[in-house]
Amino acid sequence: MKMLTAVIKPFKVDDVRDALAQVGIQGMTVTEVKGFGRQKGHTELYRGAEYVVDFVPKVKLELAVREELLDQAIEAILKSAATGKIGDGKIFVSDLEQAIRIRTGETGSEAL
């Protein structure tokens, strides 16, 4: 099992969710976050005064994926989250040692 963490632009969440559903991903956790990368924030104008927004609003998606669905899930996120502009986001893949469904006690990939 793998844990996919994707940080994407907020307006792309529905597109990504739909694309993942088409490849068989059944669930995910969505968190509103702020951060910056190479983008390094931006300058905005408010009531005639300029100010720097250091942290850009993003959405973090976390999903546990079976190994056989990993490449399809990554491809779905890449295609549906891309705008071609700076700040599209990142995908991180890490090993997931164990998963346990609290209600039934199922473990491993059966718990997903």
Side-chain angles (χ1 to χ4, degrees), residues 7-102:
V7 180
I8 62 171
K9 292 183 175 184
F11 66 91
K12 286 296 199 171
V13 172
D14 289 333
D15 294 341
V16 172
R17 183 187 61 205
D18 294 341
L20 288 169
Q22 288 180 355
V23 297
I25 305 298
Q26 295 178 340
M28 73 176 83
T29 301
V30 179
T31 310
E32 292 181 13
V33 296
K34 292 181 181 182
F36 70 92
R38 291 184 185 162
Q39 203 173 357
K40 295 186 178 138
H42 60 277
T43 304
E44 289 189 4
L45 194 62
Y46 179 71
R47 294 190 177 187
E50 266 191 17
Y51 66 98
V52 177
V53 177
D54 292 329
F55 295 101
V56 181
K58 300 285 183 178
V59 172
K60 181 166 91 171
L61 309 175
E62 296 171 296
L63 43 147
V65 178
R66 290 184 175 97
E67 295 253 3
E68 59 268 14
L69 291 177
L70 179 65
D71 292 335
Q72 294 173 36
I74 291 171
E75 191 64 30
I77 295 169
L78 284 173
K79 285 184 178 178
S80 58
T83 65
K85 297 181 181 166
I86 192 166
D88 274 352
K90 298 244 187 324
I91 300 172
F92 304 99
V93 181
S94 54
D95 288 324
L96 182 59
E97 263 185 56
Q98 182 66 283
I100 303 164
R101 185 180 310 240
I102 294 173

